[in-house]
Amino acid sequence: DTGVSQNPRHKITKRGQNVTFRCDPISEHNRLYWYRQTLGQGPEFLTYFQNEAQLEKSRLLSDRFSAERPKGSFSTLEIQRTEQGDSAMYLCASSSGTVAYYGYTFGSGTRLTVV
Amino acid sequence: GQNIDQPTEMTATEGAIVQINCTYQTSGFNGLFWYQQHAGEAPTFLSYNVLDGLEEKGRFSSFLSRSKGYSYLLLKELQMKDSASYLCATNRDDKIIFGKGTRLHILP
């Protein structure tokens, strides 16, 4: 078990370009969460999956953002037509069932810089 | 975070004790987490309280009062490695909602 893996660790892109991030959760975890964190703030919830089903999306997730988890294993988060305000750390986390008592296991994150 | 309030920054001295307070909106509450986050790293789980009272885990303790919508994280025998952000978070609808975090600075 290698924990939650996120790729890439860093991404620099030009405004207007599309970017895609990948998250590989802990293998036996059926829930997968995406968060965004900007400097000096706590992580903000974006969306989560139970197996392949996307159960909830935050209103923070504009139409330019889409997330998938096609086989209930890894997940991708795509941002289209990136804007400078999208610069942030994108965190993925996974859990087995409910979050009670043990919370999530987070990945190391993907730091996006839009120039 | 959604109506989660905690101080933005705190400073304490190595070897001392520090208490980080957190207040939250009580409606829809199912439990309270504390996470530690070092600069540039992912948050790591510290504690989870679902019932009132104090839970101790080594140098760290966490307290919860559900009726008051109040929690605190107590750190004893502070070490330099405790310099980090401490995130108060609530379990709502089976997802974790984080506060903005308290940046703790430890002075030698």
Side-chain angles (χ1 to χ4, degrees), chain A residues 22-93:
Chain A
R22 175 176 170 130
C23 172
D24 289 87
I26 293 172
S27 57
E28 62 267 27
H29 285 183
N30 61 350
R31 291 197 175 189
L32 186 148
Y33 302 78
W34 285 100
Y35 285 76
R36 179 174 66 191
Q37 186 174 25
T38 54
L39 198 62
Q41 303 294 313
E44 294 176 299
F45 170 79
L46 294 179
T47 188
Y48 88 98
F49 294 83
Q50 180 162 304
N51 300 313
E52 65 274 11
Q54 189 173 19
L55 296 187
E56 186 173 343
K57 292 171 58 174
S58 165
R59 63 180 184 276
L60 294 174
L61 214 63
S62 76
D63 292 344
R64 296 185 297 105
F65 288 70
S66 62
E68 295 183 342
R69 194 182 183 198
K71 298 182 179 178
S73 57
F74 73 92
S75 175
T76 57
L77 178 68
E78 181 183 18
I79 308 174
Q80 297 182 328
R81 305 181 303 281
T82 52
E83 302 172 357
Q84 286 189 322
D86 297 332
S87 295
M89 175 75 85
Y90 289 84
L91 293 164
C92 174

